[in-house]
Amino acid sequence: MLATQPAFGRRVRALRLRAGMSQAALAGPELSASYVSLIESGKREPSPEVATALAERLGVTPESLQSEHTDVPEHGAEGKDTSNGSTGADERIGLMELLLRARREEEEGTSDMAAELLTSILDKDGRSSHRDVLWEVRWSLARIHESSGRVDESRLLLWRLLDDDYTRSSAERLERVARHLAEFSLSNGGLVDGLRFAHLAWTLAEPRQDTAAAVRAGTVLVNACAWSGHERWGREVADALVARLSDKIPWPQRSAAYRESARLCLLTDDYPQARTWFAKALEQIDPQKDINAWAEAEYYLAIAEVLVDQDLDDQAAERVSRARPVIEVLGHTSMLVHLAVLEGHLALRRGEYDRARLMADASVAAGSWPATHEVGVNQLWTARIYRALGDTATATGVYRRAAELCEQGGAAYFCAYAWRELAELLASGSGDG
């Protein structure tokens, strides 16, 4: 008797996931993981011999897989059929076991397996009465999709969580989703949505007694304000944010709060305060635990030092030389572009014009990344290098590109800067401003 699809495939998939097996493990030496995938999706109908082999590896009888009337055992202890007399508590325990297993898979670096396991929970138990557990399943799956580059899937899950009645029944859950949507939007070219959701998260978190939640939400709002040009609002939040910081807040959150507050000052020309807060951010970081944050703080502190006083150029250059190897190893496009722009301006200050052009060319050639508003602002600073070098033609093109990207990303404040400086450049008829 041939297996009946697609019910057969669904039963195989659910049993495999509950046994903690990958498709390759279930396939064994005789089959391939891709063939198991086709069986599970209902696109292939296995022979009786293959169905028997699968049943043996899953620890069930071939008849239990073949029968159209035999459902997959309800969640419970592995290898046991608890479908008869299963209580609500049994179902909840089973769901929690699967959720914890998925999180272990994620921690161990097998994110695809974790996503597959979480998806199977939603496929089979998406209408379960245990809404709190299912909420955590959707939340975990959204995070995994985002970290794995599946941006559209993550965005869809987050929007569904935002509209979920269970989410909206709790200020804590709503703040959590809004904050993550803000972070997601800011990282993926949605500055307007990022600002809106960051404001919502701050409004929900700031009045509560949970200082750590307020710090997390405030950090995201300061970031959004900095890029969107809401200088006064952002500074008010930054001051309130920094005032809340203490040793009771985990050091990664303290460092992030100082960095974002300092970056707002940097983008709004308050260079001395930017330097002070970037230095504070650097003090919080243990490079052994977060080398990425350390390199970023060194880089930004170098920018602040360059802008505060030309006498600090040598100190800034030394910071750059320490940060550059780390940034190159990490290979983050955004940080490499940031670094090239900074080194270009440092070279200008030293009269090293060939190197300044080299760094500007590297910035332009590096391409872009999802945070469109950041790309636009970096192009604005790159255009200033070409302008200082007297290259009016190149500066004009880069200014236009900067304005377009800033407008596209919602950074109207910097878009206006780009158009104004371009107009000044063209009116002057020369590249020296």
Side-chain angles (χ1 to χ4, degrees):
M1 177 181 175
L2 290 175
T4 302
Q5 290 286 27
F8 176 88
R10 288 198 298 269
R11 287 193 289 275
V12 169
R13 182 169 183 252
L15 286 167
R16 174 179 64 78
L17 290 172
R18 285 176 186 156
M21 298 174 67
S22 66
Q23 289 178 334
L26 179 58
E30 302 90 357
L31 307 173
S32 67
S34 60
Y35 185 66
V36 170
S37 177
L38 291 171
I39 291 173
E40 292 182 351
S41 64
K43 296 176 181 177
R44 288 290 184 276
E45 194 171 89
S47 66
E49 292 76 20
V50 169
T52 298
L54 293 176
E56 289 176 354
R57 292 191 186 113
L58 291 168
V60 297
T61 64
E63 291 74 23
S64 68
L65 288 180
Q66 297 284 13
S67 173
E68 294 184 62
H69 305 291
T70 303
D71 200 1
V72 178
E74 294 295 324
H75 301 306
E78 290 184 18
K80 297 179 181 179
D81 185 347
T82 60
S83 58
N84 294 323
S86 173
T87 66
D90 291 335
E91 181 185 33
R92 182 180 182 82
I93 291 171
L95 285 170
M96 288 298 297
E97 286 177 348
L98 290 171
L99 174 60
L100 292 173
R101 183 183 298 167
R103 287 177 172 171
R104 284 196 299 271
E105 294 286 353
E106 182 185 6
E107 290 170 0
E108 292 169 4
T110 50
S111 295
D112 288 344
M113 182 68 179
E116 193 176 355
L117 185 52
L118 293 167
T119 300
S120 77
I121 297 173
L122 295 178
D123 287 346
K124 187 174 190 306
D125 298 290
R127 296 184 181 278
S128 168
S129 61
H130 302 291
R131 299 174 66 192
D132 56 335
V133 182
L134 292 178
W135 193 93
E136 292 293 344
V137 169
R138 292 187 174 94
W139 174 260
S140 296
L141 186 57
R143 288 190 304 98
I144 291 173
H145 280 327
E146 182 181 0
S147 64
S148 301
R150 295 184 287 269
V151 175
D152 291 340
E153 291 90 334
S154 181
R155 181 186 289 112
L156 181 60
L157 277 168
L158 288 170
W159 275 97
R160 286 178 175 172
L161 282 173
L162 184 71
D163 291 334
D164 190 285
D165 290 339
Y166 184 72
T167 300
R168 294 181 174 273
S169 67
S170 161
E172 185 276 331
R173 282 191 293 272
L174 184 57
E175 180 271 323
R176 186 171 160 190
V177 174
R179 174 167 45 83
H180 197 77
L181 268 169
E183 293 170 340
F184 180 92
S185 299
L186 291 169
S187 299
N188 291 281
L191 181 53
V192 174
D193 280 342
L195 182 62
R196 178 161 61 95
F197 288 126
H199 182 211
L200 174 59
W202 172 252
T203 301
L204 291 165
E206 199 273 336
R208 289 162 43 203
Q209 297 300 312
D210 188 345
T211 304
V215 168
R216 287 192 297 267
T219 299
V220 180
L221 180 56
V222 169
N223 183 359
C225 285
W227 293 111
S228 57
H230 291 283
E231 176 181 352
R232 183 177 300 176
W233 181 21
R235 187 56 183 269
E236 289 175 357
V237 177
D239 289 341
L241 182 63
V242 169
R244 288 177 179 241
L245 297 179
S246 70
D247 291 342
K248 295 181 180 179
I249 304 297
W251 68 264
Q253 293 178 27
R254 294 199 307 271
S255 174
Y258 277 124
R259 286 203 308 276
E260 293 304 337
S261 298
R263 186 153 60 171
L264 179 135
C265 294
L266 194 68
L267 292 169
T268 54
D269 302 335
D270 186 353
Y271 305 137
Q273 185 62 69
R275 185 189 179 198
T276 298
W277 280 344
F278 277 131
K280 284 282 190 181
L282 193 58
E283 290 173 5
Q284 315 302 314
I285 300 169
D286 180 350
Q288 299 295 324
K289 295 180 179 178
D290 193 341
I291 191 67
N292 189 11
W294 173 84
E296 182 179 329
E298 284 275 20
Y299 153 77
Y300 274 117
L301 183 51
I303 289 184
E305 289 174 341
V306 167
L307 294 172
V308 166
D309 192 331
Q310 193 161 348
D311 291 339
L312 296 171
D313 282 6
D314 289 342
Q315 187 170 312
E318 186 177 341
R319 293 190 188 282
V320 169
S321 68
R322 288 198 296 265
R324 172 171 275 286
V326 177
I327 292 171
E328 287 179 339
V329 168
L330 293 171
H332 294 166
T333 300
S334 61
M335 288 301 298
L336 288 170
V337 174
H338 293 328
L339 196 62
V341 174
L342 171 59
E343 290 187 294
H345 280 276
L346 265 173
L348 278 178
R349 297 271 282 264
R350 294 174 164 181
E352 300 170 355
Y353 301 123
D354 288 343
R355 179 163 178 76
R357 178 177 292 279
L358 181 66
M359 292 297 100
D361 291 346
S363 169
V364 171
S368 60
W369 57 95
T372 314
H373 53 283
E374 282 193 36
V375 184
V377 173
N378 270 280
Q379 292 299 290
L380 171 61
W381 281 83
T382 304
R384 290 169 177 169
I385 296 176
Y386 288 118
R387 181 181 180 181
L389 291 170
D391 188 346
T392 303
T394 304
T396 297
V398 178
Y399 268 126
R400 290 185 185 278
R401 180 63 175 156
E404 291 168 359
L405 288 169
C406 287
E407 182 177 14
Q408 181 183 335
Y413 180 76
F414 293 100
C415 179
Y417 257 121
W419 285 123
R420 183 166 63 249
E421 292 181 23
L422 175 58
E424 291 170 355
L425 174 65
L426 297 177
S428 71
S430 68
D432 57 15

